[in-house]
Amino acid sequence: MRILVIEDEPLLGAAVQERVQHAGHTVDWFTTLEDARAALAAVQYECLVLDLGLPDGSGRTLLREIRQTSSPLSILITTAEDQISDRIAGLSDGADDYLAKPYDLDELVARIAAVGRRYRPLIDNRLVAGESEIDLERKRLTRNGEIIDLTAREWTLVELLARRPGAICSRQKIEEALYNLEEEVGSNTVEVFVSRVRKKLGADVIRTVRGRGYYLQQPHTT
């Protein structure tokens, strides 16, 4: 998933970004409401990890703003405000989950996955494309029965295309899924990753539509 983290504590914010990225997600981390609004306007995120006590206001203000729109963004509050009344208020404002500080980073990763599933339930967990089988639930790729190792970003590309087989995914959408806003993206980065994944899945599994993007050939389910 592409995840936006809003956390003004530098050590915690850096630790969250590192751990969540290690779990295979792409993470942008900012410390203020102003930066959060700018990021949300520029990028399509799937999950927001939102601290409430921020230098330029309360995260609840942003939470209410988002829930007044039709955005399907999943929102997980993380805060030191851990009274029952605080939790009720956050959930009433539209948060999907609430995690009180201090929290375990592994639990945070698990909760991110849980709220993400609510917004994009899997219809087909296992897809067969050519000689390869893609298991979205287990995050595993096999080819001719053998497990194929993928880097985190290679899997991100596979998952992005596999969730909407046959639908064209633009180069920009792929770049947004693979890299956060602080990372520099080379001019041929997407082509390089597509080439690597084709070698692992099979040359015909990912198709190119010149000038528009890429798509996964229509698989069948198992």
Side-chain angles (χ1 to χ4, degrees):
M1 289 189 288
R2 183 70 182 260
I3 298 173
L4 177 60
V5 173
I6 307 300
E7 171 58 63
D8 68 327
E9 296 180 28
L11 293 179
L12 178 57
V16 168
Q17 183 179 43
E18 181 180 2
R19 179 63 186 87
V20 176
Q21 286 184 162
H22 183 71
H25 304 291
T26 300
V27 182
D28 294 317
W29 164 42
F30 296 103
T31 61
T32 66
L33 290 176
E34 180 181 5
D35 287 339
R37 292 188 178 100
L40 288 167
V43 177
Q44 184 176 352
Y45 293 97
E46 294 167 276
C47 181
L48 169 62
V49 178
L50 179 63
D51 185 21
L52 295 185
L54 298 168
D56 54 346
S58 172
R60 283 205 182 92
T61 302
L62 180 62
L63 171 60
R64 296 188 192 106
E65 290 173 3
I66 293 171
R67 289 303 182 234
Q68 288 172 359
T69 72
S70 58
S71 170
L73 183 69
S74 58
I75 301 177
L76 169 60
I77 288 177
T78 61
T79 179
E81 301 173 13
D82 61 350
Q83 298 297 315
I84 294 297
S85 58
D86 296 322
R87 300 188 185 199
I88 292 173
L91 295 171
S92 297
D93 285 336
D96 296 284
D97 202 354
Y98 194 110
L99 190 57
K101 295 179 180 178
Y103 54 81
D104 182 85
L105 293 177
D106 288 339
E107 181 181 1
L108 174 65
V109 169
R111 287 177 181 255
I112 287 172
V115 298
R117 284 194 295 270
R118 297 174 196 170
Y119 284 85
R120 57 173 193 180
L122 294 176
I123 298 174
D124 301 317
N125 288 330
R126 298 170 66 190
L127 308 174
V128 175
E131 300 171 343
S132 299
E133 180 178 293
I134 303 167
D135 189 330
L136 293 171
E137 185 173 6
R138 297 182 180 179
K139 294 191 174 184
R140 186 174 69 180
L141 171 68
T142 57
R143 186 175 181 184
N144 294 324
E146 295 185 6
I147 296 177
I148 304 299
D149 291 330
L150 295 175
T151 67
R153 283 177 172 155
E154 287 171 349
W155 174 257
T156 295
L157 173 59
V158 170
E159 185 176 20
L160 181 66
L161 298 177
R163 288 188 180 278
R164 296 185 63 203
I168 298 173
C169 188
S170 70
R171 175 195 178 103
Q172 179 181 352
K173 180 68 175 178
I174 294 172
E175 288 180 352
E176 288 181 357
L178 296 178
Y179 291 93
N180 65 39
L181 294 173
E182 297 175 348
E183 294 177 295
E184 192 171 322
V185 182
S187 59
N188 67 335
T189 295
V190 170
E191 288 79 3
V192 169
F193 274 102
V194 169
S195 177
R196 290 179 184 173
V197 171
R198 276 179 172 149
K199 290 178 181 178
K200 296 182 178 183
L201 268 73
D204 296 331
V205 174
I206 298 178
R207 307 291 178 84
T208 302
V209 180
R210 190 174 297 277
R212 296 183 62 190
Y214 303 89
Y215 70 92
L216 188 75
Q217 70 172 17
Q218 288 283 2
H220 60 274
T221 60
T222 63

